[in-house]
Amino acid sequence: MHINLLAQQPQLFDAVTQMLHREWSDFPNWRDAAVIQQRLQARNQAEAKTLTLVATTSDGELMATASIIHYELGDSVDREFWLGEVITAAEHRGKGLASTLVTRLITEARLRGIAALWLYTPDQQALYRRFGWQDVEQRVMADEEVTVMVLKIV
């Protein structure tokens, strides 16, 4: 397995877009594949603190992806950088890829001087608590009960 910045593997933009769209197209932010791709391209510009990581096989097949997103939920200026779009292809689940990507994203955030990362999850609270994330609030997102969590980095 190889982990790289999506910006270093631009040939994977379409595959990441399709993976996100397939998984979450029932939700408003992922209904339009063209909009997903635009967000990915903006997020992965050289001057951005945000990024997307991709995990690939030795043959270059996309296995998993995860991102640091700027203001995923824009209702609080204090919640600037978010961990999101963490997804593993069905055939590669259960191998610890999500944990590996989250660990690497935390390192990338630290290198970029990001003080805290936020996330929301409906069902992976235990995974994130193992990394030191703390519950902040419960809320409803797209008709789904989620936990908002934070990890202080610096």
Side-chain angles (χ1 to χ4, degrees):
M1 173 185 63
H2 304 282
I3 298 176
N4 292 297
L5 296 169
L6 179 59
Q8 295 171 334
Q9 295 196 308
Q11 74 277 10
L12 292 176
F13 270 96
D14 288 340
V16 172
T17 298
Q18 292 310 311
M19 179 184 276
L20 296 171
H21 186 257
R22 271 192 311 274
E23 187 70 20
W24 295 313
S25 62
D26 290 342
F27 297 105
N29 283 343
W30 292 276
R31 284 196 180 124
D32 186 335
V35 172
I36 294 169
Q37 189 155 56
Q38 289 170 355
R39 284 196 314 255
L40 284 171
Q41 289 171 341
R43 181 178 306 138
N44 289 281
Q45 295 296 314
E47 69 278 357
K49 281 190 172 182
T50 56
L51 62 110
T52 301
L53 290 177
V54 290
T56 58
T57 65
S58 57
D59 295 332
E61 173 194 352
L62 179 63
M63 300 169 69
T65 186
S67 293
I68 295 176
I69 300 166
H70 197 235
Y71 288 116
E72 181 159 2
L73 300 182
D75 59 351
S76 174
V77 295
D78 296 332
R79 299 176 180 184
E80 186 173 6
F81 293 100
W82 291 75
L83 172 75
E85 298 179 350
V86 180
I87 182 89
T88 302
E91 62 272 20
H92 297 290
R93 291 182 182 159
K95 300 175 184 176
L97 291 174
S99 294
T100 301
L101 284 175
V102 169
T103 300
R104 173 75 182 273
L105 275 175
I106 292 167
T107 299
E108 293 288 342
R110 188 174 287 115
L111 291 171
R112 287 165 169 72
I114 295 173
L117 279 175
W118 296 84
L119 66 80
Y120 65 88
T121 180
D123 58 0
Q124 295 297 316
Q125 294 86 341
L127 167 72
Y128 292 112
R129 287 180 190 128
R130 287 196 303 264
F131 287 102
W133 297 75
Q134 298 178 336
D135 297 28
V136 174
E137 69 174 306
Q138 295 293 124
R139 68 193 295 176
V140 175
M141 298 282 304
D143 298 325
E144 187 172 45
E145 182 81 20
V146 300
T147 304
V148 175
M149 305 177 84
V150 66
L151 177 69
K152 303 290 183 181
I153 297 175
V154 291

